[in-house]
Amino acid sequence: IGAASAFAPGAMLPATKSVRSATTQGPSMQLLPLYRDGELQGSTVMYRPGVERPLALDGTYVGDIGFDPLGFTNVIDLKWLREAEIKHGRVCMLGVVGFLAQEFVTLPQFENGATPLDDFFVVPAPGLWQVFFTIGAVEAFSNNFKLTPGDMFADGRAPGDLGFDPLGCGKNPDALARRQLVEVKNGRLAMLAFSGMLHQQLLTKQGVIEQLANFKAIM
């Protein structure tokens, strides 16, 4: 699951006629480049050799390496899962930057908590409600109020494509495919990093940069 150039269109690319043959030597992750459409990516690209690829993960989406150990793609619409991954990746990329920035930046009329995580609890309740309703409005309007797996993609919209591409990243299909892979990989990494930072601050009561500079063991 995964793709898209930071809000750029086209999570799926048109098929090409060229097909690269895959070698059976070495780890399957090295068989074919993980970008472009399914023909170039290949259904043989797997996160772990010897594992059967889920039927829904046919290599069409950029970054698809057949990873679905819990079988979500067997019961939930793949486009819905793809949309969720892309959005969570984007939010976490912003969240990681925010976690780091809050150790150095304080907005006017606000005060920071002991750690960036604590900053959430010093924001006045009206401010939190503003954030909550703003996020809801962005989600609703960006999907034309189609919010269920049954209607979200009824108009043919590709998962992750919000029509936002001010820099024209989607003009070159090959460059777009590479950017889509970069986004999904960075998004996946950011989701892990954000979770790690969150739990690190819960356990150590230190910010990320502070702990790197002044490490304190938990025990």
Side-chain angles (χ1 to χ4, degrees):
I1 318 168
S5 129
F7 306 85
M12 297 178 66
L13 301 177
T16 61
K17 295 182 179 180
S18 63
V19 180
R20 298 183 185 179
S21 59
T23 175
T24 57
Q25 303 296 322
S28 61
M29 282 288 288
Q30 299 177 1
L31 290 177
L32 295 170
L34 290 178
Y35 79 105
R36 290 186 144 190
D37 57 84
E39 283 188 295
L40 286 180
Q41 183 165 309
S43 60
T44 56
V45 181
M46 285 292 292
Y47 74 98
R48 185 158 65 92
V51 177
E52 185 177 353
R53 173 177 282 272
L55 294 177
L57 299 179
D58 58 3
T60 301
Y61 283 123
V62 175
D64 174 7
I65 56 174
F67 183 78
D68 184 22
L70 299 181
F72 287 125
T73 57
N74 295 327
V75 294
I76 304 175
D77 182 71
L78 184 60
K79 290 183 178 180
W80 176 267
L81 293 172
R82 178 69 152 191
E83 178 92 357
E85 181 187 38
I86 293 173
K87 285 188 175 180
H88 280 83
R90 290 168 177 169
V91 168
C92 284
M93 283 189 279
L94 294 172
V96 166
V97 175
F99 252 148
L100 299 176
Q102 283 175 271
E103 292 193 50
F104 306 100
V105 178
T106 303
L107 295 177
Q109 301 181 15
F110 287 92
E111 58 182 46
N112 285 351
T115 68
L117 178 61
D118 293 323
D119 291 348
F120 176 84
F121 300 99
V122 299
V123 176
L128 294 178
W129 281 112
Q130 288 177 25
V131 172
F132 176 79
F133 284 114
T134 299
I135 292 173
V138 169
E139 182 73 8
F141 281 100
S142 64
N143 289 294
N144 294 319
F145 295 90
K146 298 176 180 179
L147 303 175
T148 68
D151 62 8
M152 181 175 284
F153 308 104
D155 58 358
R157 179 178 72 83
D161 179 7
L162 302 180
F164 181 77
D165 187 17
L167 300 180
C169 295
K171 293 180 179 179
N172 184 328
D174 191 63
L176 172 62
R178 177 64 69 181
R179 292 188 180 104
Q180 288 176 329
L181 179 62
V182 168
E183 183 191 40
V184 73
K185 283 193 169 184
N186 280 292
R188 290 168 178 171
L189 178 61
M191 285 187 276
L192 293 173
F194 187 85
S195 299
M197 290 179 178
L198 179 68
H199 288 86
Q200 171 258 322
Q201 293 185 38
L202 284 170
L203 292 171
T204 67
K205 308 303 180 185
Q206 291 179 290
V208 176
I209 304 302
E210 179 190 358
Q211 191 190 39
L212 288 175
N214 305 284
F215 178 76
K216 290 192 304 184
I218 298 175
M219 301 178 62

